[in-house]
Amino acid sequence: TEQKPAATTEQKPAATTEQKPAATTEQKPAATTEPNPFDGQLDDGFLTADDIESAVSSAKTDYPENTADNLFNGLYEWQLKGVAWVGGGLKTEPVSADITLKTPATINKIALTPRSARPYKMIISLSSDGENYTPVVDTTQAEFTGAELYKWTFDPVENVKYIRLTVTGLWGKEIDWVTINELYIYPA
């Protein structure tokens, strides 16, 4: 009898699936304190976050990551979350940041860095008791052009425990949000 070869099955390569790279999320660059864009323009000796007991916003709305305590974090990239103070509600009422120092100090100079050199209408006042405030800066009365860095020097005010930064508007344009990167408070 004729023998037939045993039936064979053709071996096909195992099915493969194309491996795609894992999905990645775009990482935003981390804000850094270096370089400080105001090196050479700021005097040494301003108070730091270690000197601040609290910083609280009166704004109707703050971005959750952009609270008033960011005014002392040493970061300058306002576009990143958690770097600047961003307070909303300015179209309906003034927006304030109330700062409490850990230790009272004699203050004679204040500087700040606003977003995009905005010419805010603002009043900065100092107090020893949190109730009676002395205005030391007022840009609400005469047109103010704004700058990347605002700096004011005034007669020393003693025993300052509280600082109130109140923004009432913007010269030349109506906006609802205040964005300030850093507040520099100088003891005399």
Side-chain angles (χ1 to χ4, degrees):
T1 66
E2 189 176 313
Q3 287 202 345
K4 293 185 179 176
T8 61
T9 57
E10 186 177 321
Q11 293 287 326
K12 294 184 180 178
T16 61
T17 57
E18 185 178 323
Q19 294 290 325
K20 294 183 180 177
T24 60
T25 57
E26 186 177 326
Q27 295 289 321
K28 291 184 178 181
T32 64
T33 57
E34 294 184 32
N36 177 337
F38 304 105
D39 274 348
Q41 298 177 50
L42 284 170
D43 295 326
D44 292 332
F46 53 84
L47 301 178
T48 67
D50 292 338
D51 302 304
I52 307 302
E53 185 175 304
S54 66
V56 179
S57 173
S58 73
K60 286 184 178 180
T61 309
D62 280 341
Y63 281 104
E65 303 88 355
N66 291 348
T67 58
D69 58 342
N70 289 338
L71 290 168
F72 305 98
N73 63 11
L75 304 176
Y76 305 97
E77 298 293 327
W78 62 264
Q79 303 94 328
L80 301 177
K81 290 181 179 178
V83 174
W85 168 50
V86 182
L90 190 57
K91 286 184 180 178
T92 58
E93 63 186 31
V95 173
S96 296
D98 286 320
I99 294 93
T100 303
L101 304 180
K102 286 183 180 174
T103 305
T106 298
I107 306 296
N108 73 331
K109 187 186 313 184
I110 292 180
L112 65 82
T113 56
R115 174 183 174 179
S116 305
R118 287 182 174 165
Y120 289 116
K121 296 176 185 178
M122 66 185 136
I123 299 169
I124 301 174
S125 303
L126 309 177
S127 174
S128 61
D129 61 10
E131 293 184 24
N132 300 297
Y133 282 84
T134 302
V136 292
V137 173
D138 187 339
T139 66
T140 64
Q141 301 303 312
E143 181 112 6
F144 182 63
T145 58
E148 291 289 324
L149 173 65
Y150 303 155
K151 297 192 290 188
W152 299 279
T153 301
F154 42 87
D155 290 336
V157 178
E158 295 179 350
N159 202 33
V160 174
K161 176 81 171 165
Y162 305 94
I163 295 122
R164 178 171 288 157
L165 165 62
T166 303
V167 180
T168 63
L170 181 71
W171 286 103
K173 182 179 180 182
E174 186 176 282
I175 61 168
D176 197 40
W177 293 92
V178 173
T179 305
I180 297 178
N181 288 359
E182 290 292 307
L183 180 64
Y184 304 95
I185 301 165
Y186 290 87

